[in-house]
Amino acid sequence: MKTKLVKMDALPEAGEIIRAGGLVAFPTETVYGLGADAMNSEAAARIYQAKGRPSDNPLIVHIADMDQLDLVAREVPPLARKIMETFWPGPLTVILNKKDEVPDGTTGGLKTVAVRMPSHPDARALIRESGRVIAAPSANTSGRPSPTTALHVLEDMDGKIPMILDGGPVGIGIESTIVDMTGEIPMILRPGYITKEMLEEVAGEVRVDPAVSGRQMPEHVVAKAPGMKYRHYAPKGKLTLVEGDTDKVVDKISRLAKEKEREGFRVGIIATDETMDRYHTGIRKSIGSRENPDTVAAHLYGILRECDDLDLDYIYSESFFEKGLGNAIMNRMLKAAGYHLITV
């Protein structure tokens, strides 16, 4: 299969591919998605095949208008509707009880469905052009860092899908927050740009699922949301996070990097704008500024992919405070590192 990398003026052809049960990668405000007709079980199966994704890892259904919610959700509780009205369109996914018409292949066999309305105009334009609701996980090989540019998608999906819509670099850079609204109290199943504190301002009490807030790989988890159960976002080299006092972190990373270099390995260091100049070994990359977590989120997956391009054997990264957006950043980095964390 030849993969076309095209601009957004190819929307009519992209819509036709979706209607025919094919796959199209497209930009959202979070990361690039790999889209297919959410109501077509064979199309959903093609997503899993292209990504090499476990079939019990549910897909997120993307809608362009509130009217489309009725196609997939059995009911919408008043609190869920209040949250949607506050944060949609935007980087928030809501889990609801699904209608029987939604294929189990889209929901990973669950009786719930994950839904979001992206704020990226090109994403909503594709949904409207296709006349379908679109199931779309991130458009990368399963387990690899998510794609934040069309070229990232091409790197992973070339020859596997017919079309990639190039809408330029994404804005946020990490996947949407996922909140389960099937119980009495909202439960965060994946942290993201919409933080717990932001949700609490609207919903009152909000809880975080223990499976996504721990420091170890969760075991025996039923994956109610993407990213709960499996290692994700990982570079090819062995990534280790180091947390603690800044001076001690810089010293520890420097010593670890020097040791591996003496052994003949290619070593990378992921630092911040504030600490870059304090490292004098390894291949150094700044992920952004601690004073502006948005820059860290935006650069995270791109930096991990650069580490792959550099054929690094070992990568050492500073950790981040687990509050606000930092919680989502650390969630992704812990998964990318396989929960390999050193505290100093």
Side-chain angles (χ1 to χ4, degrees), residues 46-96:
R46 292 186 183 102
I47 291 177
Y48 289 106
Q49 182 180 12
K51 284 178 62 69
R53 181 186 178 98
S55 61
D56 64 345
N57 202 6
L59 307 175
I60 293 175
V61 177
H62 292 60
I63 64 175
D65 304 288
M66 287 300 291
D67 289 347
Q68 292 181 313
L69 193 57
D70 294 334
L71 298 174
V72 297
R74 184 178 297 279
E75 69 267 334
V76 182
L79 184 55
R81 192 170 294 277
K82 183 180 179 182
I83 286 174
M84 293 170 187
E85 290 171 351
T86 303
F87 296 108
W88 279 6
L92 179 72
T93 295
V94 177
I95 292 183
L96 302 165

Side-chain angles (χ1 to χ4, degrees), residues 1-5 154 157-164:
M1 179 186 298
K2 181 173 176 58
T3 300
K4 292 182 181 180
L5 178 61
L154 186 65
M157 292 291 146
D158 192 15
K160 298 178 182 178
I161 64 175
M163 179 177 286
I164 301 167

Side-chain angles (χ1 to χ4, degrees), residues 30 52 56 68 79 88 101 119 138 151 158 162 178 195 199 211-212 214 254 278 283 300 308 311 317 326 340:
T30 56
D56 64 345
Q68 292 181 313
L79 184 55
W88 279 6
E101 291 84 351
S119 62
S138 54
L151 289 179
D158 192 15
I178 300 178
T195 65
L199 288 166
V212 298
S254 296
R278 299 181 62 180
I283 299 173
L300 173 57
D308 284 350
D311 292 323
S317 175
H340 191 203

Side-chain angles (χ1 to χ4, degrees), residues 140-171:
N140 56 300
T141 301
S142 187
R144 288 209 70 206
S146 298
T148 54
T149 71
L151 289 179
H152 291 166
V153 181
L154 186 65
E155 184 179 321
D156 283 13
M157 292 291 146
D158 192 15
K160 298 178 182 178
I161 64 175
M163 179 177 286
I164 301 167
L165 289 171
D166 185 355
V170 303

Side-chain angles (χ1 to χ4, degrees), residues 258-305:
K258 286 177 182 177
E259 287 173 10
K260 290 302 179 185
E261 282 194 323
R262 281 197 294 267
E263 294 172 13
F265 294 106
R266 290 177 60 80
V267 181
I269 294 174
I270 298 176
T272 59
D273 292 349
E274 291 81 2
T275 58
M276 266 290 282
D277 293 340
R278 299 181 62 180
Y279 294 100
H280 305 288
T281 190
I283 299 173
R284 297 166 295 145
K285 295 284 181 180
S286 175
I287 198 171
S289 171
R290 289 186 181 276
E291 301 299 318
N292 186 359
D294 285 20
T295 63
V296 178
H299 294 145
L300 173 57
Y301 294 138
I303 289 288
L304 294 179
R305 284 181 175 265

